[in-house]
Amino acid sequence: MYKVKEVAETTGVSVRTLHHYDRIGLLKPEEVSSAGYRLYSDENLERLQQILVFKEMDFSLHEIKDIIDRPEFNRKENLKKHKELLLAKKKRLEEIIRTVEMTIDSIEGGYQMENKDMFKGFDMKEIEEHQKKYSEEAKGRYGKETVEKVEKRTAGYSSEDWGEIQNKTDEIYKRIMAGMDYGPEDPGVQRAVADWRRFITDHYYDCTLDIFRGLGDLYVDDPRFTKNIDKYQQGLAAFFKEAIHYYCDQQEK
Amino acid sequence: MYKVKEVAETTGVSVRTLHHYDRIGLLKPEEVSSAGYRLYSDENLERLQQILVFKEMDFSLHEIKDIIDRPEFNRKENLKKHKELLLAKKKRLEEIIRTVEMTIDSIEGGYQMENKDMFKGFDMKEIEEHQKKYSEEAKGRYGKETVEKVEKRTAGYSSEDWGEIQNKTDEIYKRIMAGMDYGPEDPGVQRAVADWRRFITDHYYDCTLDIFRGLGDLYVDDPRFTKNIDKYQQGLAAFFKEAIHYYCDQQEK
DNA sequence: GTAAACTATGACGCAGCGTCAAAGTCAATA
DNA sequence: TATTGACTTTGACGCTGCGTCATAGTTTAC
């Protein structure tokens, strides 16, 4: 049997915390001495360990009580729900990180950031910017129709969709990276490139070979993009561009 | 000039939060209409963005006020510094999520998770389990030495290391997935397999072909592993196994 | 037997809002 | 023009997970 201070010292929680856990019924000491002293058993300690574990997972004390006290059913349900919550948190964090990156880049590159973009992820910006630049260059080739189409499409995207996009981007980059030692014409790399193009087509606009080539150029010409891609690995942007060009050449034959 | 709801919706914070920030002087609206309506300017929005970034980094509102209001506050520098923090936080979140997932799996698979494992990533579990099973089967071939070696090595791994491992695992799975349409003998797939083996060798133990084959089997024989892998895509585990077998066959020739 | 170290129970405080409630405002419609 | 419905305001209380006194009883060591 251990008294409060002993428990506190060995587990790292404060005495006050133990009081609190007792009060709310989360961790009742096995015994109470005649003088009212809390006496904890080994089992109590084990339970405390459990509690601490779940606390690490960001559960509330109330939820922890549910999880530990109730049979498996509750536990699983709770965990699953909690996981959703954590994933949502993560997504938000990712968005913010991307925003921060954007902000830094915009300061460095002297770019102007519009308000509505300040709170969005990087990917939408990427697509929009490219679309804009391209449509300026290619003027009459596609009119405003294309641009407007894209805007309409992307406008309806939820944060879930953006999450998916982020995921796909990540996947593509990693696959490209994996082939960097084998040259841009490596079949694995080429498949990744093809998938990327299809993804753009599915989610934004018909990514013709011309446009695609332009996108590849953008990756090295625009420092903001280069930076973002090279975060994965030095030189990835350049390699990506090469791969895209090779892909386009092949397709045209 | 934007009214509260507009600001709330575009930034994701609640109206109440805006009220609160106003009250404590953290974010005062540029103007107040004759009717007492809060009207936010673009600069207000920028400031809000800053606030949110620092909040994500777990600064208190009070600290945030200090930081932002200090005249020598260098946006760019601060953003860069704190991006690191954000990334660290994301990593931690990811670890927590994995732990939660593990817990769910362990319940579903009927496995009991020991406390000591609860803080570790799935991968270590994977290796350990496999190592155990294998060393039981292959008894005298490797003695306890191998097992102990692994334990010693992995014991020293920091959470950063585990993060790296998780990243690599993720990468491999995605690369394998990308080749599922082309069969297990696809060169891209085979390279991913080879990378995986090398990774295991580098981080845990000498992954001989025998052991590697066994690991592949485990992916489909052990429902816990299967589940974890098939989360990426239905049938990935089976495909992975095939790919590993093919790889081993090739290596033996 | 006395001091030092430990224990108890209350009670208040804090952050960062969520969540009513009551009341005023604005724009569109009937 | 009057009314509706969407928005806005200012309180004020609640909540979590304890920290931090204050006051008072208990053990232990010497």
Side-chain angles (χ1 to χ4, degrees):
Chain A
M1 292 294 170
Y2 317 96
K3 290 198 265 185
V4 270
K5 212 200 175 188
E6 222 179 327
V7 176
E9 271 166 3
T10 65
T11 64
V13 308
S14 75
V15 171
R16 178 62 175 84
T17 300
L18 290 174
H19 285 179
H20 188 59
Y21 288 177
D22 186 358
R23 165 95 49 116
I24 67 174
L26 179 57
L27 179 65
K28 292 264 177 210
E30 188 82 25
E31 267 185 61
V32 179
S33 80
S34 57
Y37 281 27
R38 272 164 262 251
L39 298 173
Y40 294 89
S41 68
D42 285 327
E43 281 157 33
N44 287 156
L45 287 191
E46 264 183 58
R47 187 182 167 99
L48 180 51
Q49 281 303 331
Q50 287 255 330
I51 292 171
L52 294 182
V53 167
F54 285 109
K55 252 193 65 178
E56 264 309 298
M57 295 191 223
D58 271 356
F59 282 97
S60 74
L61 296 187
H62 203 94
E63 286 168 320
I64 293 176
K65 203 163 165 317
D66 272 6
I67 292 173
I68 300 189
D69 284 344
R70 311 258 233 261
E72 297 238 319
F73 175 71
N74 272 304
R75 191 177 296 212
K76 207 170 117 187
E77 285 301 303
N78 260 302
L79 283 167
K80 282 189 173 171
K81 253 187 236 159
H82 193 66
K83 187 183 147 192
E84 296 305 312
L85 229 161
L86 289 172
L87 285 176
K89 256 196 195 174
K90 185 184 154 194
K91 229 185 239 168
R92 196 166 148 68
L93 233 182
E94 274 167 355
E95 267 174 29
I96 293 190
I97 289 174
R98 268 178 287 144
T99 309
V100 170
E101 279 165 2
M102 256 181 80
T103 312
I104 293 174
D105 290 345
S106 80
I107 291 174
E108 284 180 346
Y111 290 92
Q112 284 272 26
M113 226 183 3
E114 286 162 41
N115 280 328
K116 63 164 186 163
D117 295 324
M118 269 177 38
F119 297 94
K120 283 182 194 160
F122 175 74
D123 301 281
M124 183 171 192
K125 188 84 179 169
E126 170 173 354
I127 302 298
E128 278 181 340
E129 286 278 324
H130 172 236
Q131 191 66 24
K132 253 186 241 163
K133 284 200 183 181
Y134 191 83
S135 66
E136 276 166 21
E137 277 170 25
K139 284 189 183 173
R141 237 195 295 189
Y142 314 93
K144 287 186 179 178
E145 298 162 18
T146 318
V147 181
E148 280 167 7
K149 241 188 250 168
V150 176
E151 278 173 5
K152 260 187 206 159
R153 256 210 231 178
T154 55
Y157 283 3
S158 70
S159 63
E160 250 184 73
D161 298 327
W162 289 115
E164 189 204 329
I165 288 163
Q166 169 66 12
N167 246 317
K168 191 68 181 179
T169 312
D170 184 67
E171 175 203 318
I172 297 289
Y173 286 176
K174 280 182 172 168
R175 280 168 59 194
I176 301 277
M177 250 173 65
M180 278 181 77
D181 293 344
Y182 304 89
E185 66 283 345
D186 175 79
V189 170
Q190 284 302 305
R191 282 209 308 272
V193 170
D195 286 354
W196 184 224
R197 183 183 166 206
R198 179 192 312 281
F199 185 75
I200 295 177
T201 300
D202 289 349
H203 287 75
Y204 303 105
Y205 52 85
D206 181 26
C207 188
T208 64
L209 289 176
D210 277 2
I211 296 186
F212 200 36
R213 222 188 283 268
L215 189 56
D217 292 339
L218 202 65
Y219 287 160
V220 298
D221 294 342
D222 188 323
R224 190 156 57 85
F225 287 22
T226 314
K227 243 191 171 164
N228 242 291
I229 296 170
D230 278 1
K231 260 186 333 216
Y232 281 80
Q233 181 148 114
Q234 238 350 296
L236 178 59
F239 182 78
F240 202 171
K241 175 192 164 178
E242 289 308 311
I244 289 178
H245 276 219
Y246 180 84
Y247 167 88
C248 292
D249 293 346
Q250 290 304 110
Q251 293 296 311
E252 271 165 358
K253 274 203 286 208
Chain B
M1 291 295 168
Y2 317 96
K3 290 197 264 185
V4 269
K5 210 200 175 188
E6 222 179 326
V7 176
E9 271 166 4
T10 63
T11 64
V13 309
S14 74
V15 171
R16 177 72 232 284
T17 300
L18 290 173
H19 285 178
H20 188 60
Y21 289 177
D22 186 358
R23 164 97 50 116
I24 67 174
L26 179 57
L27 179 65
K28 293 262 176 212
E30 188 82 24
E31 265 186 61
V32 179
S33 80
S34 57
Y37 282 26
R38 273 163 259 252
L39 298 173
Y40 293 88
S41 69
D42 287 331
E43 280 156 33
N44 287 156
L45 287 191
E46 259 186 65
R47 189 182 166 96
L48 178 51
Q49 196 229 9
Q50 290 269 331
I51 291 171
L52 292 183
V53 169
F54 284 109
K55 246 194 65 179
E56 271 312 304
M57 297 188 286
D58 277 347
F59 283 94
S60 74
L61 297 186
H62 201 93
E63 287 168 321
I64 294 176
K65 200 162 166 323
D66 279 0
I67 294 172
I68 303 190
D69 284 343
R70 269 206 306 259
E72 73 273 19
F73 170 67
N74 184 329
R75 272 185 89 202
K76 192 175 134 193
E77 281 306 302
N78 271 283
L79 282 173
K80 277 190 174 173
K81 255 187 240 160
H82 293 323
K83 190 182 136 193
E84 302 302 315
L85 270 174
L86 286 175
L87 288 175
K89 208 187 160 190
K90 187 184 152 197
K91 234 186 214 170
R92 199 178 120 67
L93 234 180
E94 276 165 355
E95 270 173 31
I96 293 178
I97 291 174
R98 264 181 291 135
T99 311
V100 173
E101 274 171 1
M102 247 183 89
T103 314
I104 293 175
D105 289 342
S106 80
I107 289 173
E108 285 180 345
Y111 289 88
Q112 204 65 350
M113 213 177 25
E114 292 154 41
N115 278 339
K116 62 162 188 163
D117 294 324
M118 278 172 81
F119 283 112
K120 292 175 188 168
F122 174 73
D123 304 281
M124 181 172 194
K125 190 85 178 164
E126 171 173 351
I127 302 299
E128 276 182 340
E129 287 278 324
H130 173 236
Q131 191 66 22
K132 252 186 242 163
K133 284 199 184 182
Y134 190 82
S135 65
E136 275 167 20
E137 275 170 27
K139 285 190 181 174
R141 237 193 295 186
Y142 313 95
K144 287 186 177 176
E145 297 162 19
T146 318
V147 182
E148 280 168 6
K149 241 188 248 168
V150 175
E151 279 173 4
K152 261 187 203 159
R153 255 210 232 178
T154 54
Y157 282 3
S158 71
S159 62
E160 250 184 72
D161 297 327
W162 290 114
E164 189 205 328
I165 287 164
Q166 170 64 12
N167 247 317
K168 191 67 181 183
T169 311
D170 185 66
E171 176 203 319
I172 297 290
Y173 286 177
K174 280 180 171 169
R175 281 168 60 195
I176 301 277
M177 249 173 67
M180 276 181 77
D181 292 343
Y182 305 88
E185 64 285 344
D186 175 79
V189 171
Q190 285 301 307
R191 283 209 307 272
V193 171
D195 286 354
W196 184 224
R197 182 182 168 209
R198 180 193 311 283
F199 186 75
I200 294 176
T201 299
D202 288 350
H203 286 75
Y204 303 104
Y205 53 85
D206 181 26
C207 187
T208 65
L209 289 178
D210 277 3
I211 296 186
F212 200 36
R213 221 188 283 269
L215 189 57
D217 292 338
L218 203 64
Y219 288 161
V220 297
D221 293 341
D222 188 321
R224 188 155 60 86
F225 287 19
T226 315
K227 242 189 174 158
N228 239 290
I229 297 171
D230 278 1
K231 261 187 329 219
Y232 281 79
Q233 181 149 114
Q234 245 339 305
L236 178 58
F239 183 78
F240 202 172
K241 174 192 165 179
E242 288 308 310
I244 289 179
H245 276 218
Y246 181 84
Y247 168 87
C248 291
D249 292 347
Q250 289 305 110
Q251 292 297 310
E252 271 166 358
K253 274 202 286 204

